[in-house]
Amino acid sequence: MTEEQSNQEENIDFTSGGSVTRNISLSQAGVMAVRTAQANPAPRRWVLRRRMLFDVLSDYEDKDSYTIVVSFRPTGDFEGTPGQERFRFSKTGRFQDRDVLSYPKSTKRF
């Protein structure tokens, strides 16, 4: 058995029903958060009309879940403060929660 196979087996959890589930990593949760944000943008009309850039701002894990904070801003020349969204995923990869912490604020007047 290789070291990689051994490490993968350490991440196996059992549910109360006895089925086996594999845990995702913190970096995989970050990818899932960005993909979720891209597929379903924050519910604001101006966000839906513009292409947005997403980036993982911070990530941390607790006993049962991963919390990922994603920054988002319009593409192109954007002067201002990016918005932030918080995503929570269980360690098995199940989506739990999503909160918009702030929306992008432009310093330019249109």
Side-chain angles (χ1 to χ4, degrees), residues 77-89:
D77 292 335
F78 175 75
E79 293 181 22
T81 306
Q84 294 182 4
E85 267 190 283
R86 180 177 50 221
F87 294 85
R88 283 186 24 160
F89 295 93

Side-chain angles (χ1 to χ4, degrees), residues 42-50 103:
R44 292 284 287 214
R45 268 187 247 131
W46 67 269
V47 171
L48 295 175
R49 288 182 288 164
R50 300 184 72 182
Y103 290 97

Side-chain angles (χ1 to χ4, degrees), residues 33-34 37 52-58 68-74 81-87 101-102 104:
V34 169
M52 303 296 281
L53 293 176
F54 300 89
D55 193 26
V56 174
L57 188 61
S58 65
I68 313 295
V69 176
V70 174
S71 69
F72 64 102
R73 67 173 184 83
T81 306
Q84 294 182 4
E85 267 190 283
R86 180 177 50 221
F87 294 85
L101 304 176
S102 63

